[in-house]
Amino acid sequence: MKVINEFSLTLSAKSVNEGFCRAAVCAFITPLDPTIEELSDLKTAVSEAVTNCIVHAYPETEGKLYITAELLENSTVKVKIRDKGIGIADVKKAMEPLFTSGGADRAGLGFTVMQSFCDRVSVKSQQSRGTTVTLIKKIRGKGVW
């Protein structure tokens, strides 16, 4: 699919930046004329992916969070949230509902939430090299593209 527009951000993986990431992605897709529900879904999915990075990728150090987004010719948005942290030992297990490596204060529903609000979610990870979460969502609005 042809890319119509794109952006990238690099931020510190700090919880204070989670809201900014959500807002940036949602502002970027406004030319697609998304519904309130589509915006809410994407905000939630991005929030979960960014929070996973902040909480799990850099447990003993500070690191960076990398976000890229593309608007594709068929009114689809593709968002990648990437870190260069510790990685996920078992992606399949990590994507199971209620699984968490974050202790008792974590619900283990992040990937499940992302999957429920996006058309497709993929996760690639290598231990000691980082993780990339890709969110794909078709926007049904009229859009300017």
Side-chain angles (χ1 to χ4, degrees):
M1 282 180 263
K2 183 179 175 187
V3 176
I4 303 298
N5 198 8
E6 61 189 325
F7 84 88
S8 62
L9 289 171
T10 301
L11 299 140
S12 296
K14 296 181 178 184
S15 59
V16 69
N17 288 329
E18 182 267 331
F20 177 75
C21 295
R22 263 193 338 230
V25 170
C26 287
F28 179 70
I29 71 163
T30 57
L32 298 177
D33 193 26
T35 65
I36 298 295
E37 183 178 358
E38 289 169 331
L39 282 173
S40 179
D41 290 353
L42 195 56
K43 276 184 184 179
T44 302
V46 167
S47 179
E48 290 294 335
V50 168
T51 299
N52 275 357
C53 172
I54 292 165
V55 170
H56 300 290
Y58 306 105
E60 296 181 26
T61 184
E62 285 193 21
K64 297 290 183 189
L65 167 68
Y66 308 88
I67 297 181
T68 60
E70 297 174 341
L71 297 181
L72 306 174
E73 65 185 342
N74 65 347
S75 295
T76 298
V77 61
K78 180 179 182 180
V79 181
K80 288 186 179 185
I81 295 98
R82 183 173 61 91
D83 65 67
K84 294 182 181 179
I86 64 170
I88 300 171
D90 185 344
V91 171
K92 186 175 179 179
K93 182 76 174 165
M95 292 183 77
E96 290 178 6
L98 304 177
F99 175 83
T100 183
S101 61
D105 62 331
R106 296 285 158 199
L109 293 172
F111 288 123
T112 303
V113 169
M114 287 179 239
Q115 289 170 324
S116 69
F117 290 126
C118 293
D119 297 313
R120 195 166 9 138
V121 175
S122 68
V123 180
K124 294 182 181 174
S125 189
Q126 288 184 308
Q127 287 192 283
S128 302
R129 302 210 56 191
T131 302
T132 300
V133 175
T134 303
L135 309 171
I136 297 176
K137 183 163 184 69
K138 171 89 168 145
I139 304 299
R140 310 268 187 275
K142 296 174 187 84
V144 298
W145 309 109

